[in-house]
Amino acid sequence: MTGPATQIILRGTEEACRPWTRRTLTREDWTALVAALPAQPALALVALWADTAQAHALFMDEASGDILPVSTAIVDGGYPALSPVRPAAAWLERMVRDLWGHTAQGGTDDRPWLDHGRWPHTHPNAIRPGPMGPPPEPPEFLPVTGEDLHQVAVGPIHAGIIEPGHFRFTAQGETVVRLEIRLGYTHKGTLSLMRSKSPRAAARFAARLSGDSTVAHAIAFARATEAALAVEAPARANGLRGVMAEIERIANHLGDVGAICNDASFAFALARFGFHREAMLRAANAAFGHRLMMDAVVPGGVAGDIAPGGAEAILAAIAGVEAELPELTRVYENYSSLTDRVVGTGAISRTLADRFAAGGYVGRAAGRTGDARLHPGYAPYPDLVVVVPSLAEGDVDARVRIRLAEITESIRLLRILLEDLPAGALSVVLPMLSGEGIGCAEGFRGDIWHWLRLDNGQIASVFMRDPSWAQWPLLEAAIEGNIIADFPICNKSFNCSYSGVDL
Amino acid sequence: MVWRRVFRTLTEGPATERAAPIADAATQALVAQLDAAAQVRLGRSLSIRHLDAGSCNGCELEIHALNNIVYDLERFGLRFVASPRHADVLLVTGPLSRNLREALVQTWQATPDPKWVVAMGDCAVDGGVFKGSYAIDGTGTGGIAAGVPVDLKIPGCPPAPAAILIALRTLIEANVGGRDG
Ligand code: SF4
């Protein structure tokens, strides 16, 4: 039985978009869709973006599995807002307004987001960008009422080796009453730089949206291009993409677990997990010529084959991880001072995680089970049985345990991928055609979705959705009721990308 | 369990790699560049403050690696500090994002003299792939030099930890070299 909102979407006029047909709704139907969404909570909002003429949204029906891109024309400079019924839309609507100038009519928040009043012009992605805005005012933060509250402002320059962001805490004594995050500091105008470039040239930007997920973003971008052009990457290329993606997942999880323990000043774990991360990066360098495997995945396939000795280097590195991981896990579990810091800290509920359709370890530590490798699924994973861990506590400890379980699973997948690596071509030639495509990949942090429209082989319009869009807002909720001193460990357990959402 | 690992480290030796030699030519080149007065007072240790001026966070991953037990930059007298007020060196990554330009300049002003600014990664050197974007300050040669004077540039996307380490150690050698020179 299709839900009420899905039925409205299916009424839209079909647009050629692969692999999931996009539908354009009239303004009335889009308004009806907004009204119907509360009655179908399982229809999750995955992404919201725009081009110069339309607003676009990507929904996934978590009951049926349907993936539904939907659009509506911009009328009177805007479109009916989704944020009143889908909270995850709030930041995305502010991003759309800052970049394209389209207003989310009836939206919950119309403050600027990426535009800090520093760009030479406003609405840089619009057909006619506006003149530079007024001189920047101090940003407006959400008011908080209550007695003897005080505000703590942190960043954008803060103590660690970390990306810049501003964290405005309102606290009562030590306990955080509200946290509001302000990002946008690493905005580089990536989407507009990608316009009118060939997919191969634009892929360098996708690979640099968030350096820690360079392989996953490159895969999603490549798959969106291949879908738009109705071509398939060769089997060997898909196998190598799987190898790189799982190396990236393991390396990031190792780094994160070490860093989370370090935020509880447990240096032993940082040293040992950091050692194994270094081993993984050296294996990646031996196999693919770059420690982070940047630019190794390209639209149409992969840039180069796995180097001689590369597979052996990878197998040796994961053997080292596998040998010490049980002992490190026991150490993690047996130090009561560490357990005291991670258990019960920064907890989020399943309902909240569901409202934002949070993916990755953030969602799976709170009871969700989604993984893009399973659904919608993409090569080389369909013939591999990917085991997805899930826990219910939703706290820092659960996010650590999900990572530890995913390291073990990715080691298993890597061995199969390396053993069954198909022979054959590394890439296909991309035809210079027009078309529209959506690509998806499971990054270490969660599901990544890219959409692009090609015009005679050049990028006409593009959007890249990092999983952090659905996770940052949950960090604001997770810290409530915790002490400010627990923010670093909470923040590290989320490890959201700043550059990934700053675009 | 922890002690078993510590004991093995005592018997088998640490996992830290031997330090690569510093090319003398690089040192002399840097000595010529550095302000003579600055060299005398800093001695063999340098406090580093990292600053992300718009990075994609790839460079940050390799700065984290510098602190791991294989590179262990602290054995060279190099250490990361929490505040620019305690720093001798500003290690800056990323193309100069306009949204962060003011914070970069204020951080530079907060760093006491003598100080060095190291532009790490192609983005910090000249804007990298983001050259020409409305969102970054590309004046002059671009990169962070559009906001603050740069003393040392480390190319790469991202530069590998070994390359970053050699560049920072060269800064120490140049500093000490200046005094004996
Ligand atoms: S140099 Fe490369 S890795 Fe470093 S911030 Fe720029 S794009 Fe990212």
Coordinates of all heavy atoms in Angstrom, one line a residue, chain A residues 114 116 118 120 124 157-159 161-164 184-185 187-189 192-193 204-205 208 210-212 268 271-272 275 278 282 290-292 294 324 327 331 334-335 497 499, chain B residues 1-2 4-5 15 17 49-52 54-58 61-64 67-71 80 82 95 97-100 102-103 107 129-130 133-135 157-158 161:
Chain A
L114 N 25.4 29.5 4.7 CA 26.8 29.5 4.1 C 27.3 31.0 3.9 O 28.5 31.3 3.9 CB 26.9 28.8 2.8 CG 26.5 27.3 2.8 CD1 26.6 26.7 1.5 CD2 27.5 26.6 3.8
H116 N 28.2 34.3 4.8 CA 28.5 35.1 6.0 C 28.7 36.6 5.7 O 29.3 37.4 6.4 CB 29.8 34.6 6.7 CG 29.7 33.2 7.2 ND1 30.7 32.7 8.0 CD2 28.7 32.3 7.1 CE1 30.4 31.4 8.3 NE2 29.2 31.2 7.8
R118 N 30.6 37.7 3.2 CA 31.9 38.0 2.8 C 32.2 37.8 1.3 O 33.3 38.0 0.8 CB 32.9 37.0 3.6 CG 32.6 36.9 5.0 CD 33.4 37.9 5.8 NE 33.0 37.9 7.2 CZ 33.7 38.5 8.2 NH1 34.8 39.2 7.8 NH2 33.3 38.5 9.4
P120 N 31.9 38.2 -2.8 CA 31.8 39.4 -3.7 C 30.4 39.6 -4.2 O 30.0 40.7 -4.6 CB 32.8 39.2 -4.8 CG 33.1 37.7 -4.8 CD 32.9 37.3 -3.3
P124 N 25.5 33.1 -5.5 CA 26.5 32.9 -6.5 C 26.0 31.9 -7.6 O 26.5 32.0 -8.7 CB 27.7 32.3 -5.8 CG 27.2 31.9 -4.4 CD 26.0 32.8 -4.1
I157 N 38.0 29.2 15.4 CA 39.4 28.7 15.7 C 39.3 28.0 17.1 O 39.0 28.7 18.1 CB 40.3 29.9 15.8 CG1 40.2 30.8 14.5 CG2 41.8 29.4 16.0 CD1 40.7 30.1 13.3
H158 N 39.5 26.7 17.1 CA 39.5 26.1 18.4 C 40.7 25.1 18.6 O 41.4 24.9 17.6 CB 38.2 25.4 18.8 CG 37.4 24.8 17.6 ND1 36.5 23.9 17.8 CD2 37.5 25.0 16.3 CE1 35.9 23.5 16.6 NE2 36.5 24.3 15.7
A159 N 40.8 24.6 19.7 CA 42.1 24.1 20.2 C 42.7 22.9 19.4 O 43.9 22.8 19.2 CB 42.0 23.6 21.6
I161 N 43.4 19.9 16.2 CA 43.7 19.9 14.8 C 42.4 19.5 14.1 O 42.1 18.3 14.0 CB 44.8 18.9 14.5 CG1 46.1 19.3 15.2 CG2 45.1 18.7 13.0 CD1 47.2 18.3 15.3
I162 N 41.6 20.4 13.8 CA 40.2 20.2 13.4 C 39.7 21.2 12.5 O 40.3 22.3 12.4 CB 39.3 20.0 14.7 CG1 38.0 19.4 14.4 CG2 39.2 21.4 15.4 CD1 37.2 19.0 15.7
E163 N 38.7 20.9 11.7 CA 38.1 21.9 10.8 C 37.4 23.0 11.6 O 37.0 22.8 12.7 CB 37.1 21.2 9.9 CG 37.7 20.1 9.0 CD 36.7 19.4 8.1 OE1 36.4 20.0 7.1 OE2 36.2 18.4 8.5
P164 N 37.2 24.2 11.0 CA 36.7 25.4 11.7 C 35.2 25.3 11.7 O 34.5 25.1 10.7 CB 37.2 26.6 10.9 CG 37.3 26.0 9.5 CD 37.7 24.6 9.6
G184 N 30.0 26.8 7.6 CA 30.2 27.7 6.4 C 31.6 28.2 6.3 O 31.9 28.8 5.2
Y185 N 32.4 28.0 7.3 CA 33.8 28.6 7.2 C 34.6 28.0 6.1 O 35.6 28.6 5.7 CB 34.4 28.5 8.6 CG 33.7 29.3 9.6 CD1 32.8 28.7 10.5 CD2 33.9 30.7 9.7 CE1 32.1 29.4 11.4 CE2 33.2 31.4 10.7 CZ 32.3 30.7 11.5 OH 31.6 31.5 12.5
H187 N 33.5 27.0 3.2 CA 32.8 27.0 1.9 C 33.8 27.4 0.8 O 34.4 28.5 0.9 CB 31.6 27.9 1.9 CG 30.9 28.1 0.6 ND1 30.2 27.1 0.0 CD2 30.9 29.1 -0.3 CE1 29.7 27.5 -1.1 NE2 30.1 28.7 -1.4
K188 N 33.8 26.7 -0.3 CA 34.8 27.0 -1.4 C 34.2 27.2 -2.7 O 34.8 27.3 -3.7 CB 35.8 25.8 -1.4 CG 36.6 25.6 -0.2 CD 37.6 24.4 -0.3 CE 36.9 23.1 0.2 NZ 36.6 23.1 1.6
G189 N 32.8 27.2 -2.7 CA 32.1 27.4 -4.0 C 32.3 26.2 -4.9 O 32.3 26.4 -6.1
S192 N 29.8 25.5 -7.9 CA 29.9 26.4 -9.1 C 31.2 26.2 -9.9 O 31.2 26.4 -11.1 CB 29.7 27.9 -8.7 OG 30.9 28.2 -7.9
L193 N 32.2 25.8 -9.2 CA 33.5 25.5 -9.9 C 33.3 24.2 -10.8 O 33.9 24.1 -11.8 CB 34.6 25.2 -8.9 CG 35.2 26.4 -8.2 CD1 36.2 26.0 -7.2 CD2 35.9 27.4 -9.2
R204 N 37.6 15.7 -9.7 CA 38.6 16.2 -8.8 C 38.0 17.0 -7.6 O 38.5 17.0 -6.5 CB 39.7 17.0 -9.5 CG 40.6 16.1 -10.4 CD 41.5 17.0 -11.2 NE 42.4 17.8 -10.4 CZ 43.5 17.3 -9.7 NH1 43.7 16.0 -9.7 NH2 44.2 18.1 -9.0
F205 N 36.9 17.6 -7.9 CA 36.2 18.4 -6.9 C 35.4 17.5 -6.0 O 35.4 17.7 -4.8 CB 35.3 19.5 -7.5 CG 36.1 20.6 -8.2 CD1 36.4 20.5 -9.6 CD2 36.6 21.7 -7.5 CE1 37.1 21.4 -10.2 CE2 37.3 22.6 -8.2 CZ 37.6 22.5 -9.5
R208 N 37.4 16.0 -3.5 CA 37.9 17.0 -2.4 C 36.8 17.7 -1.7 O 37.0 18.7 -1.1 CB 38.8 18.0 -3.1 CG 40.2 17.4 -3.5 CD 40.9 18.2 -4.5 NE 42.2 17.6 -4.8 CZ 42.3 16.5 -5.6 NH1 41.3 16.0 -6.2 NH2 43.5 16.0 -5.9
S210 N 35.1 16.2 0.8 CA 35.6 15.9 2.2 C 36.7 14.8 2.1 O 36.4 13.7 1.8 CB 34.4 15.3 3.0 OG 34.7 15.1 4.3
G211 N 37.9 15.3 2.3 CA 39.1 14.5 2.1 C 39.0 13.1 2.8 O 39.5 12.1 2.2
D212 N 38.4 13.0 4.0 CA 38.4 11.8 4.7 C 37.5 10.7 3.9 O 37.6 9.5 4.1 CB 37.9 11.9 6.1 CG 36.6 12.7 6.3 OD1 35.8 12.7 5.3 OD2 36.4 13.3 7.3
F268 N 47.0 5.4 25.3 CA 47.4 4.1 24.8 C 46.6 3.7 23.6 O 47.1 3.3 22.6 CB 47.2 3.0 25.9 CG 47.4 1.6 25.5 CD1 48.8 1.1 25.4 CD2 46.4 0.8 25.1 CE1 49.0 -0.2 24.9 CE2 46.6 -0.5 24.6 CZ 47.9 -1.0 24.5
A271 N 47.6 5.6 20.5 CA 48.8 5.2 19.9 C 48.6 3.9 19.1 O 49.0 3.8 17.9 CB 49.8 4.9 21.0
R272 N 47.9 2.9 19.7 CA 47.8 1.6 19.0 C 46.9 1.7 17.8 O 47.2 1.2 16.7 CB 47.2 0.6 19.9 CG 48.2 0.2 21.1 CD 49.6 -0.1 20.6 NE 49.7 -1.1 19.6 CZ 50.9 -1.3 18.9 NH1 51.9 -0.5 19.1 NH2 50.9 -2.2 18.0
F275 N 48.6 3.6 15.1 CA 49.6 2.8 14.4 C 49.0 1.9 13.3 O 49.5 1.9 12.2 CB 50.3 1.8 15.4 CG 51.2 0.8 14.9 CD1 52.5 1.2 14.5 CD2 50.8 -0.5 14.7 CE1 53.4 0.2 13.9 CE2 51.6 -1.5 14.2 CZ 52.9 -1.1 13.8
E278 N 48.0 4.0 10.3 CA 49.2 4.3 9.5 C 49.5 3.1 8.6 O 49.8 3.3 7.4 CB 50.4 4.7 10.3 CG 51.6 5.0 9.6 CD 51.5 6.3 8.7 OE1 50.6 7.1 9.0 OE2 52.3 6.4 7.8
R282 N 49.6 3.2 4.5 CA 50.8 2.8 3.7 C 50.4 1.7 2.7 O 51.0 1.7 1.6 CB 51.9 2.4 4.7 CG 52.5 3.6 5.4 CD 53.6 3.2 6.3 NE 54.2 4.5 6.9 CZ 55.4 4.6 7.4 NH1 56.3 3.6 7.3 NH2 55.8 5.7 7.9
H290 N 48.5 6.5 -3.5 CA 48.1 7.7 -2.8 C 47.6 7.2 -1.4 O 46.8 6.3 -1.3 CB 47.0 8.5 -3.5 CG 46.8 9.9 -2.9 ND1 46.2 10.1 -1.7 CD2 47.1 11.1 -3.4 CE1 46.1 11.4 -1.5 NE2 46.7 12.1 -2.5
R291 N 48.1 7.8 -0.3 CA 47.7 7.3 1.0 C 46.2 7.4 1.2 O 45.6 6.5 1.9 CB 48.4 8.2 2.1 CG 49.9 7.8 2.2 CD 50.7 8.8 3.0 NE 50.2 9.1 4.3 CZ 50.5 8.4 5.4 NH1 51.4 7.4 5.3 NH2 50.0 8.7 6.6
L292 N 45.6 8.4 0.7 CA 44.1 8.5 0.9 C 43.4 8.1 -0.4 O 42.1 8.1 -0.5 CB 43.7 10.0 1.2 CG 44.4 10.7 2.4 CD1 43.9 12.1 2.5 CD2 44.1 9.9 3.6
M294 N 43.3 9.5 -3.3 CA 42.6 10.6 -3.9 C 42.7 10.4 -5.5 O 43.8 10.1 -6.0 CB 43.2 11.9 -3.5 CG 42.2 12.9 -3.0 SD 43.0 14.3 -2.2 CE 41.8 14.7 -1.0
E324 N 45.5 -7.6 16.6 CA 45.5 -6.8 17.8 C 44.1 -6.3 18.2 O 43.9 -5.9 19.4 CB 46.5 -5.7 17.7 CG 46.8 -5.1 19.1 CD 47.9 -4.0 19.0 OE1 48.4 -3.7 18.0 OE2 48.1 -3.4 20.1
E327 N 42.4 -7.6 21.5 CA 43.1 -7.2 22.7 C 42.7 -5.7 23.0 O 42.4 -5.3 24.1 CB 44.6 -7.3 22.5 CG 45.4 -7.0 23.8 CD 46.9 -7.1 23.5 OE1 47.4 -8.0 22.8 OE2 47.7 -6.1 23.9
V331 N 40.8 -4.0 26.1 CA 41.4 -2.8 26.9 C 40.3 -1.7 26.9 O 40.0 -1.1 28.0 CB 42.7 -2.3 26.2 CG1 43.1 -0.9 26.7 CG2 43.8 -3.3 26.4
N334 N 37.7 -2.6 29.5 CA 38.1 -2.9 30.9 C 38.5 -1.7 31.6 O 38.7 -1.7 32.9 CB 39.2 -3.9 30.9 CG 38.7 -5.3 30.6 OD1 37.4 -5.4 30.4 ND2 39.5 -6.3 30.4
Y335 N 38.8 -0.6 31.0 CA 39.2 0.6 31.7 C 38.0 1.4 32.2 O 37.3 2.1 31.4 CB 40.1 1.5 30.9 CG 41.6 1.1 31.1 CD1 42.1 -0.1 30.5 CD2 42.4 1.9 31.8 CE1 43.4 -0.5 30.8 CE2 43.8 1.5 32.1 CZ 44.2 0.3 31.5 OH 45.5 -0.1 31.7
S497 N 31.6 15.9 9.0 CA 32.4 16.6 8.1 C 32.0 18.1 8.0 O 30.8 18.3 7.8 CB 32.4 16.0 6.7 OG 33.1 16.8 5.8
S499 N 33.7 20.4 5.8 CA 33.9 20.7 4.4 C 32.8 20.0 3.6 O 32.3 20.6 2.6 CB 35.3 20.3 3.9 OG 35.4 20.6 2.6
Chain B
M1 N 46.7 -6.2 29.9 CA 46.9 -6.2 28.4 C 47.8 -5.0 28.0 O 48.6 -5.1 27.1 CB 45.5 -6.0 27.8 CG 44.8 -7.3 27.6 SD 43.6 -7.7 28.9 CE 42.9 -6.2 29.3
V2 N 47.5 -3.9 28.6 CA 48.3 -2.7 28.2 C 49.8 -3.0 28.5 O 50.7 -2.8 27.7 CB 47.8 -1.5 29.0 CG1 48.8 -0.3 28.7 CG2 46.4 -1.1 28.6
R4 N 51.4 -5.8 28.7 CA 52.0 -6.7 27.8 C 52.6 -6.0 26.5 O 53.7 -6.2 26.1 CB 51.0 -7.8 27.3 CG 51.6 -9.0 26.7 CD 50.6 -10.0 26.2 NE 49.6 -10.3 27.1 CZ 48.3 -10.3 26.8 NH1 47.9 -10.1 25.5 NH2 47.4 -10.5 27.7
R5 N 51.7 -5.0 26.0 CA 52.2 -4.3 24.9 C 53.4 -3.4 25.3 O 54.4 -3.3 24.5 CB 51.0 -3.4 24.4 CG 51.4 -2.3 23.4 CD 52.0 -2.8 22.1 NE 51.2 -3.8 21.5 CZ 51.6 -4.5 20.4 NH1 52.8 -4.3 19.9 NH2 50.8 -5.4 19.8
A15 N 57.9 1.5 17.7 CA 57.5 1.4 16.3 C 57.9 2.6 15.5 O 57.7 2.8 14.3 CB 55.9 1.3 16.2
E17 N 59.8 5.3 13.4 CA 60.8 5.2 12.4 C 62.0 6.0 12.6 O 61.9 7.1 13.3 CB 60.1 5.7 11.1 CG 59.4 4.6 10.3 CD 58.9 5.1 9.0 OE1 58.9 6.3 8.8 OE2 58.5 4.3 8.2
R49 N 50.9 25.8 15.9 CA 49.5 26.0 16.0 C 48.9 25.7 14.6 O 49.3 26.4 13.6 CB 49.1 27.4 16.4 CG 47.7 27.8 16.4 CD 46.8 26.9 17.2 NE 45.4 27.2 16.8 CZ 44.4 26.4 17.1 NH1 44.6 25.3 17.7 NH2 43.2 26.7 16.8
H50 N 48.0 24.7 14.5 CA 47.4 24.4 13.2 C 46.2 25.3 13.0 O 45.5 25.6 13.9 CB 46.9 22.9 13.2 CG 45.8 22.6 12.2 ND1 44.5 22.6 12.6 CD2 45.8 22.5 10.9 CE1 43.7 22.3 11.5 NE2 44.5 22.3 10.5
L51 N 45.9 25.7 11.7 CA 44.8 26.5 11.4 C 44.2 26.0 10.1 O 45.0 26.0 9.1 CB 45.1 28.0 11.4 CG 43.9 28.9 11.5 CD1 44.2 30.0 12.4 CD2 43.5 29.4 10.1
D52 N 42.9 25.7 10.0 CA 42.3 25.3 8.8 C 41.6 26.4 8.1 O 40.6 26.9 8.7 CB 41.3 24.1 9.1 CG 40.4 23.7 7.9 OD1 40.4 24.5 6.9 OD2 39.8 22.7 8.0
G54 N 40.0 26.6 5.3 CA 39.1 26.2 4.2 C 39.4 24.8 3.6 O 39.0 24.4 2.6
S55 N 40.2 24.1 4.4 CA 40.7 22.8 3.9 C 39.6 21.8 3.6 O 38.4 22.0 4.1 CB 41.6 22.2 5.0 OG 41.8 20.8 4.8
C56 N 39.8 20.8 2.8 CA 38.8 19.7 2.5 C 38.9 18.7 3.6 O 38.1 17.8 3.7 CB 39.1 19.0 1.2 SG 40.4 17.7 1.3
N57 N 39.8 18.8 4.6 CA 40.1 18.0 5.7 C 41.1 16.8 5.4 O 41.5 16.1 6.3 CB 38.9 17.5 6.6 CG 38.1 16.4 5.9 OD1 38.6 15.5 5.4 ND2 36.8 16.5 6.0
G58 N 41.5 16.7 4.1 CA 42.5 15.7 3.8 C 43.8 16.1 4.4 O 44.5 15.2 5.0
L61 N 44.1 15.1 8.1 CA 44.4 13.7 8.4 C 45.9 13.5 8.5 O 46.3 12.7 9.3 CB 43.7 12.9 7.3 CG 42.2 12.9 7.2 CD1 41.7 12.1 6.0 CD2 41.6 12.3 8.5
E62 N 46.6 14.1 7.6 CA 48.1 13.9 7.6 C 48.8 14.6 8.7 O 49.9 14.2 9.1 CB 48.7 14.2 6.2 CG 48.1 13.3 5.1 CD 48.5 11.8 5.2 OE1 48.2 11.2 6.2 OE2 49.0 11.3 4.2
I63 N 48.2 15.7 9.2 CA 48.8 16.4 10.4 C 48.5 15.5 11.6 O 49.4 15.3 12.4 CB 48.1 17.7 10.6 CG1 48.4 18.7 9.4 CG2 48.7 18.4 11.9 CD1 47.7 20.0 9.5
H64 N 47.4 14.8 11.7 CA 47.1 13.9 12.8 C 48.2 12.8 12.7 O 48.7 12.4 13.8 CB 45.7 13.2 12.6 CG 44.6 14.1 13.1 ND1 44.6 14.6 14.4 CD2 43.6 14.7 12.5 CE1 43.5 15.3 14.6 NE2 42.9 15.4 13.4
N67 N 51.4 13.0 14.6 CA 51.4 12.8 16.0 C 51.4 11.3 16.3 O 51.4 10.9 17.5 CB 50.2 13.5 16.6 CG 50.3 15.0 16.6 OD1 51.2 15.5 17.3 ND2 49.5 15.7 15.9
N68 N 51.3 10.4 15.3 CA 51.2 9.0 15.6 C 52.6 8.5 16.0 O 53.6 9.2 15.8 CB 50.5 8.2 14.5 CG 51.4 8.0 13.3 OD1 52.7 8.0 13.4 ND2 50.8 7.9 12.1
I69 N 52.6 7.3 16.5 CA 53.9 6.8 17.1 C 54.9 6.5 16.0 O 56.1 6.3 16.3 CB 53.7 5.5 18.0 CG1 53.0 4.4 17.2 CG2 52.8 5.9 19.2 CD1 52.9 3.1 18.0
V70 N 54.5 6.4 14.7 CA 55.5 6.1 13.7 C 56.3 7.4 13.3 O 57.5 7.3 13.2 CB 54.8 5.6 12.4 CG1 55.8 5.4 11.3 CG2 54.1 4.3 12.8
Y71 N 55.6 8.5 13.2 CA 56.3 9.8 12.9 C 56.8 10.5 14.2 O 57.8 11.0 14.2 CB 55.4 10.7 12.0 CG 55.1 10.1 10.7 CD1 53.9 9.4 10.4 CD2 56.1 10.0 9.7 CE1 53.7 8.8 9.2 CE2 55.9 9.4 8.5 CZ 54.6 8.8 8.2 OH 54.4 8.2 7.0
F80 N 52.4 20.4 18.9 CA 51.2 21.2 18.6 C 50.7 21.8 19.9 O 50.7 21.2 21.0 CB 50.1 20.4 18.0 CG 50.4 20.1 16.6 CD1 51.1 18.9 16.2 CD2 50.1 21.0 15.6 CE1 51.4 18.7 14.8 CE2 50.4 20.8 14.2 CZ 51.1 19.6 13.9
A82 N 47.7 24.5 21.8 CA 46.2 24.7 21.7 C 45.9 26.2 21.3 O 45.0 26.4 20.6 CB 45.6 24.5 23.1
P95 N 42.6 26.6 1.0 CA 42.6 27.8 0.2 C 42.0 28.9 1.1 O 41.2 28.5 2.0 CB 41.7 27.5 -0.9 CG 40.7 26.5 -0.4 CD 41.5 25.7 0.6
S97 N 39.6 30.6 2.5 CA 38.1 30.8 2.4 C 37.8 32.2 2.9 O 38.2 32.7 4.0 CB 37.4 29.8 3.3 OG 36.1 30.3 3.7
R98 N 36.9 33.0 2.1 CA 36.6 34.3 2.5 C 35.9 34.3 3.9 O 36.1 35.2 4.7 CB 35.7 35.0 1.5 CG 36.4 35.3 0.2 CD 35.4 36.0 -0.8 NE 36.0 36.2 -2.1 CZ 36.9 37.1 -2.4 NH1 37.3 38.0 -1.5 NH2 37.4 37.2 -3.6
N99 N 35.2 33.2 4.2 CA 34.4 33.2 5.5 C 35.4 33.0 6.6 O 35.0 33.1 7.8 CB 33.4 32.0 5.4 CG 32.2 32.4 4.6 OD1 32.0 33.6 4.2 ND2 31.3 31.4 4.3
L100 N 36.7 32.7 6.3 CA 37.6 32.5 7.5 C 38.7 33.5 7.5 O 39.6 33.4 8.3 CB 38.1 31.0 7.4 CG 38.6 30.6 8.8 CD1 37.5 29.9 9.6 CD2 39.9 29.8 8.7
E102 N 39.0 36.7 8.1 CA 39.2 37.5 9.3 C 39.8 36.7 10.5 O 40.7 37.1 11.2 CB 37.8 38.1 9.7 CG 37.9 39.0 10.9 CD 36.5 39.5 11.3 OE1 35.5 39.2 10.6 OE2 36.4 40.2 12.3
A103 N 39.3 35.5 10.7 CA 39.8 34.6 11.8 C 41.3 34.3 11.6 O 42.1 34.3 12.5 CB 39.0 33.3 11.9
T107 N 44.2 35.4 14.1 CA 45.0 34.3 14.7 C 46.5 34.7 14.5 O 47.3 34.6 15.4 CB 44.7 33.0 14.0 OG1 43.3 32.7 14.2 CG2 45.5 31.9 14.7
V129 N 43.0 23.3 -6.4 CA 41.9 23.1 -7.4 C 40.8 24.2 -7.3 O 40.1 24.4 -8.2 CB 41.2 21.7 -7.3 CG1 42.2 20.6 -7.5 CG2 40.5 21.6 -5.9
F130 N 40.8 24.9 -6.1 CA 39.7 25.8 -5.9 C 40.1 27.2 -6.4 O 39.4 28.2 -6.2 CB 39.4 25.9 -4.4 CG 39.0 24.5 -3.8 CD1 39.9 23.8 -3.1 CD2 37.8 24.0 -4.1 CE1 39.6 22.5 -2.6 CE2 37.4 22.8 -3.6 CZ 38.3 22.0 -2.9
S133 N 37.7 30.5 -7.4 CA 36.4 30.5 -6.8 C 36.0 31.8 -6.2 O 36.9 32.5 -5.5 CB 36.3 29.4 -5.7 OG 35.1 29.5 -5.0
Y134 N 34.7 32.2 -6.3 CA 34.3 33.4 -5.6 C 34.5 33.3 -4.1 O 34.5 34.3 -3.4 CB 32.8 33.7 -5.9 CG 31.9 32.6 -5.4 CD1 31.4 32.7 -4.1 CD2 31.5 31.5 -6.1 CE1 30.6 31.7 -3.5 CE2 30.7 30.5 -5.7 CZ 30.3 30.6 -4.3 OH 29.5 29.5 -3.9
A135 N 34.5 32.1 -3.6 CA 34.4 31.9 -2.1 C 35.8 32.0 -1.5 O 35.9 31.9 -0.3 CB 33.8 30.5 -1.8
C157 N 48.9 17.2 -2.2 CA 47.5 17.2 -2.0 C 47.0 15.8 -1.5 O 46.6 15.0 -2.3 CB 46.7 17.5 -3.3 SG 44.9 17.6 -3.1
P158 N 47.0 15.5 -0.2 CA 47.8 16.3 0.8 C 49.3 15.9 0.8 O 49.6 14.8 0.3 CB 47.1 15.9 2.1 CG 46.7 14.5 1.9 CD 46.4 14.4 0.4
P161 N 53.0 12.8 5.5 CA 53.6 13.2 6.8 C 55.1 13.3 6.7 O 55.7 14.3 7.3 CB 53.2 12.1 7.7 CG 52.0 11.5 7.1 CD 52.1 11.7 5.6

